[in-house]
Amino acid sequence: MTDGPVDSQAAIDGVGDLTAGELDSRVHEYTPGEDQEGIPFIGAGPGDPGLLTVRGKELVDEADLVVHAGSLVSSALLEEHCADAELVNSVGKDLEELIPLMRDAHESGRTVVRLHSGDPAVYGAAIEQIDALESEGVPAYIVPGVTSSFAAAATLRTQLTLNGVANHVAFTRPRGKTLDAEDDHVAEFVEMGDVTTCIYLGTHAVSDTMDRLLDRDGVDPDTPVAVVYHASWDDEDVITGSIADIGEKVEAAGYRASAMVLIGEAATGAGYERSFLYGDWANGGAADAGSDGSNSAGGAAETTETEADD
């Protein structure tokens, strides 16, 4: 059994120069839903216990130790699935504390689960923990979850992509301690027009972000904005408006964290065009028909594949 302190930064630096051509061999051995050795990093979803994936539920239900992301993981989910496990809140703990905790528990034979909010792939800081664990000889892997922008879209009864309205989605965060001003591209995404911009970790900065957008000539102040607080939680709340007034509305509501901000016409779910998927193109209309009036199966399959997200 390994014991003592860990050098987490050295583990991170050790993988810094890897390229796509040097993928871990496990990439070709497992799919995300399969049983794997080690500690699973599970996306807990946006909050509602029912939105935890089936695989995630199976693993959490079996856990002896659950290290979770504090209040970002709903108490309802912890109570429903972790009643028999030891719970450790990761908030306020750095890598040098978390890694030995999980390492020692795993090496002593306990079943350890790391529970992240949403999906670990989006602002989850999971990889640095996984690399540090594996540098200590403890394998780990990711089980995906439902990210909050998807839950927010479901609450709003819309899609992040809508034919003729939004062809692109941008996941971003506002400038601050983590993101320098020159790396803030929110305005650029909004100026494109056909992008749904999803702002994570930005509830506290809604007014500031909107003020900066209003200073840009290429941004329409009437662009719709929806702010979904605690998407899928029992206390979920929805605030709608425009770039011009949403900041004032969010401040009046008093929310400073845990809300998803969606900017763009798709937030309203209106103004879209019928997609090709269920139109004449998919069904082999006259323009696409063969010489005998029938459509080729290959053409229909290709259309369905390429237009499935419309």
Side-chain angles (χ1 to χ4, degrees), residues 201-223:
L201 307 170
T203 316
H204 67 288
V206 171
S207 289
D208 181 59
T209 301
M210 298 305 145
D211 286 345
R212 291 200 305 276
L213 290 176
L214 291 171
D215 289 338
R216 301 277 292 226
D217 291 337
V219 172
D220 182 354
D222 294 326
T223 301

Side-chain angles (χ1 to χ4, degrees), residues 42-244:
I42 300 172
D48 189 310
L51 296 180
L52 178 66
T53 67
V54 173
R55 184 64 184 135
K57 175 187 178 300
E58 292 171 347
L59 292 166
V60 173
D61 285 345
E62 297 170 355
D64 300 315
L65 171 65
V66 175
V67 180
H68 64 92
S71 62
L72 295 177
V73 176
S74 74
S75 57
L77 188 150
L78 295 174
E79 291 168 2
E80 183 169 332
H81 296 294
C82 307
D84 298 325
E86 177 188 356
L87 299 178
V88 173
N89 184 345
S90 64
V91 175
K93 295 179 174 60
D94 58 22
L95 286 180
E96 285 66 34
E97 186 174 358
L98 285 172
I99 300 307
L101 171 72
M102 292 187 284
R103 176 200 65 195
D104 294 348
H106 173 78
E107 291 183 343
S108 68
R110 303 180 73 191
T111 302
V112 182
V113 157
R114 180 67 166 104
L115 200 57
H116 276 250
S117 60
D119 184 298
V122 184
Y123 299 117
I127 294 301
E128 62 192 59
Q129 298 171 69
I130 290 174
D131 286 340
L133 280 169
E134 299 205 327
S135 74
E136 294 291 302
V138 178
Y141 61 99
I142 292 174
V143 177
V146 177
T147 188
S148 57
S149 59
F150 297 166
T155 286
L156 295 168
R157 297 177 180 271
T158 187
Q159 297 176 192
L160 298 180
T161 60
L162 278 174
N163 198 33
V165 174
N167 292 308
H168 314 280
V169 180
F171 291 170
T172 188
R173 64 187 303 175
R175 65 178 67 173
K177 292 181 179 179
T178 301
L179 192 70
D180 294 333
E182 59 268 24
D183 297 320
D184 180 353
H185 301 297
V186 173
E188 296 167 45
F189 297 141
V190 175
E191 285 175 339
M192 291 178 186
D194 64 342
V195 177
T196 302
T197 303
C198 305
I199 301 180
Y200 287 74
L201 307 170
T203 316
H204 67 288
V206 171
S207 289
D208 181 59
T209 301
M210 298 305 145
D211 286 345
R212 291 200 305 276
L213 290 176
L214 291 171
D215 289 338
R216 301 277 292 226
D217 291 337
V219 172
D220 182 354
D222 294 326
T223 301
V225 183
V227 176
V228 183
Y229 172 76
H230 267 177
S232 85
W233 295 48
D234 290 340
D235 61 346
E236 176 185 86
D237 190 17
V238 177
I239 303 172
T240 59
S242 66
I243 289 175

